Amino acid sequence: MWAPVPKVVTPGDNNAPPSDAIILFNGKNLDEWESAKDKSPALWFVHDGVFTVNKAPGVGNIETKRSFRNYQLHLEWKVPENITGTGQARGNSGLFLASTGPGDAGYELQILDSYNNATYVNGQAGSVYKQGIPLVNPNRKPGEWQTYDVVWTAPTFNDDGSLKTPAYVTAFFNGVLVQNHFELKGQTLNTGQPFYKKYDTAPIKLQAHGDHSEPISFRNIWIRELN
């Protein structure tokens, strides 16, 4: 077979974005992001080429201005070296692969300090929150940058809103496979049974968790649409 000829994509070096990527954080501003609560400008802190969660009351989660369906995503995050707290109250955040409403509605890949920090295993870093235990724990220690490389296959729905095909996620955590084409049972909930709610495309959301530990930071976020 000589056709179709795949398009040429120039790879990036050392986690740099490939040539066909959409840059979601350029190290300078949060122009690609907005408040998940009311679509106002994102008020997290940008400094030194990274951005950090703003835990001030009323600020809350942020999400992308753009919406996506199927994609490959790269994201780097860091728990501060001086992190305090235990369990779920230690560097807690979340990468919502599809934000389907306010608050924590959607499909979450957990972010947490899971380096010598015990918690329920379907809530540690690299888990599909409350659904998928990570295959291994490749966490680096606090103060070091962690990487997520994710392939998200969005759910599809019939005209009547019923589920046609479920969502799947494959995730590499610091280059190590932690979710292998995992089939989600629905949106990730803190309590109750997962369920699917019809959507077409959705933003990607980052969580400002309500714990009292020191806020985490992010950098080098890019996405390749796979539609």
Short mmCIF file of all heavy atoms in Angstrom, two decimals, residues 182-223:
data_model
loop_
_atom_site.label_atom_id
_atom_site.label_comp_id
_atom_site.label_asym_id
_atom_site.label_seq_id
_atom_site.Cartn_x
_atom_site.Cartn_y
_atom_site.Cartn_z
N PHE A 182 -7.75 1.60 29.71
CA PHE A 182 -8.70 1.35 30.78
C PHE A 182 -10.09 1.83 30.39
O PHE A 182 -10.25 2.97 29.93
CB PHE A 182 -8.26 2.05 32.07
CG PHE A 182 -9.21 1.86 33.22
CD1 PHE A 182 -9.16 0.71 33.98
CD2 PHE A 182 -10.14 2.84 33.52
CE1 PHE A 182 -10.04 0.53 35.05
CE2 PHE A 182 -11.02 2.67 34.58
CZ PHE A 182 -10.97 1.52 35.35
N GLU A 183 -11.09 0.99 30.57
CA GLU A 183 -12.47 1.34 30.24
C GLU A 183 -13.15 1.97 31.44
O GLU A 183 -13.28 1.34 32.49
CB GLU A 183 -13.24 0.11 29.80
CG GLU A 183 -14.70 0.39 29.45
CD GLU A 183 -15.48 -0.85 29.03
OE1 GLU A 183 -14.87 -1.77 28.45
OE2 GLU A 183 -16.71 -0.90 29.30
N LEU A 184 -13.60 3.22 31.29
CA LEU A 184 -14.26 3.90 32.39
C LEU A 184 -15.71 3.49 32.49
O LEU A 184 -16.38 3.22 31.49
CB LEU A 184 -14.16 5.42 32.21
CG LEU A 184 -12.82 6.04 32.59
CD1 LEU A 184 -11.80 5.91 31.46
CD2 LEU A 184 -12.99 7.50 32.99
N LYS A 185 -16.19 3.47 33.72
CA LYS A 185 -17.58 3.11 33.98
C LYS A 185 -18.51 4.31 33.90
O LYS A 185 -19.72 4.19 34.06
CB LYS A 185 -17.69 2.45 35.36
CG LYS A 185 -16.84 1.20 35.52
CD LYS A 185 -16.91 0.68 36.95
CE LYS A 185 -16.04 -0.56 37.13
NZ LYS A 185 -14.60 -0.24 36.98
N GLY A 186 -17.93 5.47 33.69
CA GLY A 186 -18.68 6.72 33.64
C GLY A 186 -17.85 7.82 34.26
O GLY A 186 -16.63 7.68 34.44
N GLN A 187 -18.49 8.92 34.60
CA GLN A 187 -17.78 10.02 35.23
C GLN A 187 -17.22 9.57 36.58
O GLN A 187 -17.77 8.70 37.24
CB GLN A 187 -18.72 11.21 35.41
CG GLN A 187 -19.24 11.76 34.09
CD GLN A 187 -19.95 13.09 34.27
OE1 GLN A 187 -19.37 14.05 34.77
NE2 GLN A 187 -21.19 13.16 33.84
N THR A 188 -16.11 10.19 36.97
CA THR A 188 -15.45 9.81 38.22
C THR A 188 -16.06 10.60 39.37
O THR A 188 -16.02 11.82 39.40
CB THR A 188 -13.94 10.09 38.13
OG1 THR A 188 -13.74 11.43 37.69
CG2 THR A 188 -13.28 9.14 37.13
N LEU A 189 -16.62 9.88 40.33
CA LEU A 189 -17.32 10.51 41.44
C LEU A 189 -16.62 10.20 42.74
O LEU A 189 -16.07 9.11 42.93
CB LEU A 189 -18.76 9.99 41.51
CG LEU A 189 -19.61 10.09 40.24
CD1 LEU A 189 -20.98 9.47 40.50
CD2 LEU A 189 -19.76 11.53 39.80
N ASN A 190 -16.69 11.14 43.68
CA ASN A 190 -16.16 10.88 45.02
C ASN A 190 -17.03 9.89 45.77
O ASN A 190 -16.53 9.02 46.49
CB ASN A 190 -16.04 12.19 45.79
CG ASN A 190 -15.44 11.99 47.17
OD1 ASN A 190 -16.17 11.95 48.17
ND2 ASN A 190 -14.12 11.88 47.23
N THR A 191 -18.33 10.02 45.61
CA THR A 191 -19.28 9.08 46.21
C THR A 191 -20.34 8.74 45.17
O THR A 191 -20.64 9.53 44.28
CB THR A 191 -19.96 9.68 47.46
OG1 THR A 191 -20.60 10.91 47.10
CG2 THR A 191 -18.94 9.93 48.55
N GLY A 192 -20.93 7.56 45.30
CA GLY A 192 -21.97 7.14 44.38
C GLY A 192 -21.43 6.33 43.21
O GLY A 192 -20.22 6.13 43.07
N GLN A 193 -22.32 5.87 42.37
CA GLN A 193 -21.98 5.04 41.23
C GLN A 193 -21.69 5.89 39.99
O GLN A 193 -22.41 6.86 39.72
CB GLN A 193 -23.13 4.07 40.92
CG GLN A 193 -23.38 3.04 42.02
CD GLN A 193 -22.17 2.15 42.24
OE1 GLN A 193 -21.55 1.65 41.31
NE2 GLN A 193 -21.82 1.96 43.51
N PRO A 194 -20.64 5.54 39.23
CA PRO A 194 -20.35 6.29 38.00
C PRO A 194 -21.50 6.22 37.02
O PRO A 194 -22.26 5.25 36.98
CB PRO A 194 -19.11 5.58 37.45
CG PRO A 194 -18.54 4.81 38.59
CD PRO A 194 -19.69 4.44 39.46
N PHE A 195 -21.63 7.25 36.20
CA PHE A 195 -22.66 7.29 35.17
C PHE A 195 -22.14 8.08 33.98
O PHE A 195 -21.22 8.89 34.11
CB PHE A 195 -23.96 7.92 35.70
CG PHE A 195 -23.80 9.37 36.09
CD1 PHE A 195 -24.04 10.38 35.16
CD2 PHE A 195 -23.40 9.72 37.37
CE1 PHE A 195 -23.87 11.72 35.51
CE2 PHE A 195 -23.24 11.06 37.72
CZ PHE A 195 -23.48 12.06 36.79
N TYR A 196 -22.72 7.83 32.83
CA TYR A 196 -22.40 8.59 31.62
C TYR A 196 -23.49 9.61 31.34
O TYR A 196 -24.68 9.32 31.49
CB TYR A 196 -22.26 7.65 30.42
CG TYR A 196 -20.91 6.98 30.33
CD1 TYR A 196 -20.73 5.66 30.72
CD2 TYR A 196 -19.80 7.67 29.84
CE1 TYR A 196 -19.49 5.04 30.62
CE2 TYR A 196 -18.56 7.07 29.74
CZ TYR A 196 -18.41 5.75 30.12
OH TYR A 196 -17.18 5.15 30.03
N LYS A 197 -23.06 10.79 30.94
CA LYS A 197 -23.96 11.86 30.52
C LYS A 197 -23.51 12.33 29.15
O LYS A 197 -22.33 12.62 28.95
CB LYS A 197 -23.93 13.02 31.52
CG LYS A 197 -24.83 14.18 31.16
CD LYS A 197 -24.78 15.27 32.23
CE LYS A 197 -23.45 15.98 32.25
NZ LYS A 197 -23.44 17.14 33.19
N LYS A 198 -24.42 12.41 28.20
CA LYS A 198 -24.07 12.72 26.82
C LYS A 198 -23.36 14.06 26.70
O LYS A 198 -23.77 15.06 27.28
CB LYS A 198 -25.31 12.73 25.94
CG LYS A 198 -25.03 12.94 24.45
CD LYS A 198 -26.28 12.89 23.60
CE LYS A 198 -25.94 13.07 22.12
NZ LYS A 198 -27.14 13.04 21.26
N TYR A 199 -22.25 14.06 25.96
CA TYR A 199 -21.57 15.28 25.56
C TYR A 199 -20.87 15.03 24.24
O TYR A 199 -20.67 13.88 23.84
CB TYR A 199 -20.59 15.76 26.64
CG TYR A 199 -19.27 15.03 26.67
CD1 TYR A 199 -18.16 15.50 25.98
CD2 TYR A 199 -19.12 13.85 27.40
CE1 TYR A 199 -16.95 14.84 26.01
CE2 TYR A 199 -17.91 13.17 27.44
CZ TYR A 199 -16.82 13.67 26.75
OH TYR A 199 -15.64 13.01 26.77
N ASP A 200 -20.49 16.08 23.56
CA ASP A 200 -19.81 15.95 22.27
C ASP A 200 -18.31 16.21 22.45
O ASP A 200 -17.49 15.32 22.35
CB ASP A 200 -20.41 16.93 21.26
CG ASP A 200 -19.76 16.80 19.89
OD1 ASP A 200 -19.20 15.73 19.58
OD2 ASP A 200 -19.82 17.77 19.11
N THR A 201 -17.94 17.46 22.73
CA THR A 201 -16.57 17.80 23.07
C THR A 201 -16.58 18.48 24.43
O THR A 201 -17.62 18.95 24.89
CB THR A 201 -15.95 18.75 22.03
OG1 THR A 201 -16.70 19.96 21.99
CG2 THR A 201 -15.93 18.09 20.65
N ALA A 202 -15.41 18.54 25.08
CA ALA A 202 -15.36 19.10 26.42
C ALA A 202 -13.99 19.73 26.68
O ALA A 202 -12.99 19.30 26.10
CB ALA A 202 -15.64 18.01 27.46
N PRO A 203 -13.95 20.71 27.58
CA PRO A 203 -12.66 21.27 27.98
C PRO A 203 -11.88 20.26 28.84
O PRO A 203 -12.42 19.27 29.32
CB PRO A 203 -13.03 22.50 28.82
CG PRO A 203 -14.50 22.70 28.62
CD PRO A 203 -15.07 21.39 28.24
N ILE A 204 -10.59 20.57 29.03
CA ILE A 204 -9.74 19.86 29.98
C ILE A 204 -9.63 20.74 31.22
O ILE A 204 -9.43 21.95 31.11
CB ILE A 204 -8.36 19.59 29.36
CG1 ILE A 204 -8.51 18.59 28.21
CG2 ILE A 204 -7.37 19.09 30.41
CD1 ILE A 204 -7.30 18.52 27.31
N LYS A 205 -9.78 20.13 32.39
CA LYS A 205 -9.87 20.90 33.63
C LYS A 205 -8.76 20.51 34.59
O LYS A 205 -8.37 19.34 34.66
CB LYS A 205 -11.24 20.65 34.27
CG LYS A 205 -11.51 21.36 35.57
CD LYS A 205 -13.01 21.35 35.91
CE LYS A 205 -13.60 19.96 36.00
NZ LYS A 205 -15.04 19.97 36.20
N LEU A 206 -8.26 21.49 35.35
CA LEU A 206 -7.31 21.26 36.42
C LEU A 206 -7.96 21.68 37.74
O LEU A 206 -8.61 22.72 37.81
CB LEU A 206 -6.02 22.04 36.20
CG LEU A 206 -5.20 21.63 34.98
CD1 LEU A 206 -4.00 22.56 34.80
CD2 LEU A 206 -4.73 20.18 35.08
N GLN A 207 -7.76 20.86 38.76
CA GLN A 207 -8.48 21.02 40.01
C GLN A 207 -7.70 21.82 41.05
O GLN A 207 -6.51 21.59 41.26
CB GLN A 207 -8.81 19.64 40.59
CG GLN A 207 -9.62 19.65 41.87
CD GLN A 207 -9.72 18.25 42.46
OE1 GLN A 207 -8.74 17.56 42.63
NE2 GLN A 207 -10.95 17.84 42.75
N ALA A 208 -8.39 22.77 41.68
CA ALA A 208 -7.89 23.43 42.88
C ALA A 208 -8.54 22.73 44.07
O ALA A 208 -9.65 23.06 44.48
CB ALA A 208 -8.24 24.92 42.86
N HIS A 209 -7.86 21.73 44.59
CA HIS A 209 -8.44 20.92 45.67
C HIS A 209 -8.50 21.73 46.97
O HIS A 209 -7.72 22.65 47.17
CB HIS A 209 -7.58 19.66 45.87
CG HIS A 209 -8.23 18.62 46.72
ND1 HIS A 209 -8.00 18.52 48.07
CD2 HIS A 209 -9.11 17.64 46.41
CE1 HIS A 209 -8.70 17.51 48.55
NE2 HIS A 209 -9.39 16.96 47.57
N GLY A 210 -9.41 21.36 47.84
CA GLY A 210 -9.63 22.15 49.05
C GLY A 210 -8.75 21.78 50.22
O GLY A 210 -8.97 22.30 51.32
N ASP A 211 -7.76 20.90 50.03
CA ASP A 211 -6.90 20.55 51.17
C ASP A 211 -5.97 21.72 51.51
O ASP A 211 -5.82 22.66 50.73
CB ASP A 211 -6.11 19.28 50.88
CG ASP A 211 -5.03 19.50 49.85
OD1 ASP A 211 -3.91 19.89 50.25
OD2 ASP A 211 -5.29 19.27 48.64
N HIS A 212 -5.32 21.62 52.67
CA HIS A 212 -4.53 22.75 53.17
C HIS A 212 -3.03 22.59 52.90
O HIS A 212 -2.22 23.37 53.42
CB HIS A 212 -4.76 22.91 54.67
CG HIS A 212 -6.17 23.27 55.02
ND1 HIS A 212 -6.74 24.48 54.64
CD2 HIS A 212 -7.14 22.58 55.67
CE1 HIS A 212 -8.00 24.51 55.06
NE2 HIS A 212 -8.27 23.38 55.69
N SER A 213 -2.63 21.62 52.09
CA SER A 213 -1.21 21.47 51.78
C SER A 213 -0.77 22.54 50.79
O SER A 213 -1.59 23.23 50.17
CB SER A 213 -0.93 20.07 51.21
OG SER A 213 -1.58 19.90 49.96
N GLU A 214 0.54 22.67 50.65
CA GLU A 214 1.10 23.69 49.77
C GLU A 214 0.69 23.44 48.32
O GLU A 214 0.63 22.28 47.88
CB GLU A 214 2.63 23.70 49.92
CG GLU A 214 3.11 24.19 51.28
CD GLU A 214 2.85 23.22 52.41
OE1 GLU A 214 2.57 22.03 52.16
OE2 GLU A 214 2.91 23.64 53.58
N PRO A 215 0.40 24.47 47.54
CA PRO A 215 -0.14 24.29 46.18
C PRO A 215 0.89 23.74 45.21
O PRO A 215 2.08 24.05 45.30
CB PRO A 215 -0.59 25.70 45.78
CG PRO A 215 0.25 26.61 46.62
CD PRO A 215 0.47 25.89 47.92
N ILE A 216 0.42 22.93 44.26
CA ILE A 216 1.29 22.33 43.26
C ILE A 216 1.37 23.22 42.02
O ILE A 216 0.59 24.16 41.85
CB ILE A 216 0.84 20.91 42.88
CG1 ILE A 216 -0.38 20.94 41.96
CG2 ILE A 216 0.53 20.08 44.11
CD1 ILE A 216 -0.68 19.58 41.35
N SER A 217 2.35 22.91 41.15
CA SER A 217 2.60 23.71 39.96
C SER A 217 2.56 22.84 38.70
O SER A 217 2.70 21.61 38.77
CB SER A 217 3.97 24.40 40.06
OG SER A 217 4.01 25.29 41.15
N PHE A 218 2.41 23.51 37.54
CA PHE A 218 2.31 22.84 36.25
C PHE A 218 3.21 23.55 35.24
O PHE A 218 3.49 24.74 35.36
CB PHE A 218 0.87 22.87 35.74
CG PHE A 218 -0.11 22.15 36.61
CD1 PHE A 218 -0.75 22.81 37.65
CD2 PHE A 218 -0.41 20.81 36.39
CE1 PHE A 218 -1.66 22.15 38.46
CE2 PHE A 218 -1.32 20.14 37.18
CZ PHE A 218 -1.94 20.81 38.22
N ARG A 219 3.61 22.81 34.20
CA ARG A 219 4.34 23.39 33.08
C ARG A 219 4.20 22.48 31.87
O ARG A 219 3.72 21.35 31.96
CB ARG A 219 5.83 23.59 33.43
CG ARG A 219 6.62 22.28 33.50
CD ARG A 219 8.08 22.50 33.79
NE ARG A 219 8.82 21.23 33.74
CZ ARG A 219 10.09 21.09 34.09
NH1 ARG A 219 10.78 22.14 34.53
NH2 ARG A 219 10.67 19.89 34.01
N ASN A 220 4.65 22.98 30.71
CA ASN A 220 4.79 22.19 29.48
C ASN A 220 3.56 21.34 29.19
O ASN A 220 3.60 20.11 29.20
CB ASN A 220 6.05 21.30 29.57
CG ASN A 220 6.45 20.75 28.20
OD1 ASN A 220 6.05 21.25 27.15
ND2 ASN A 220 7.24 19.68 28.22
N ILE A 221 2.46 22.00 28.89
CA ILE A 221 1.20 21.30 28.58
C ILE A 221 0.89 21.48 27.10
O ILE A 221 0.80 22.60 26.61
CB ILE A 221 0.04 21.86 29.43
CG1 ILE A 221 0.41 21.84 30.92
CG2 ILE A 221 -1.23 21.05 29.19
CD1 ILE A 221 -0.64 22.49 31.81
N TRP A 222 0.76 20.35 26.39
CA TRP A 222 0.39 20.40 24.99
C TRP A 222 -0.50 19.23 24.64
O TRP A 222 -0.58 18.23 25.36
CB TRP A 222 1.61 20.48 24.07
CG TRP A 222 2.69 19.43 24.29
CD1 TRP A 222 3.84 19.58 24.99
CD2 TRP A 222 2.73 18.10 23.74
NE1 TRP A 222 4.60 18.43 24.94
CE2 TRP A 222 3.94 17.51 24.17
CE3 TRP A 222 1.87 17.37 22.93
CZ2 TRP A 222 4.29 16.20 23.83
CZ3 TRP A 222 2.22 16.06 22.59
CH2 TRP A 222 3.41 15.49 23.05
N ILE A 223 -1.21 19.38 23.52
CA ILE A 223 -2.21 18.39 23.13
C ILE A 223 -2.17 18.19 21.62
O ILE A 223 -1.87 19.12 20.86
CB ILE A 223 -3.61 18.86 23.59
CG1 ILE A 223 -4.67 17.75 23.44
CG2 ILE A 223 -4.05 20.12 22.87
CD1 ILE A 223 -5.98 18.11 24.11
#
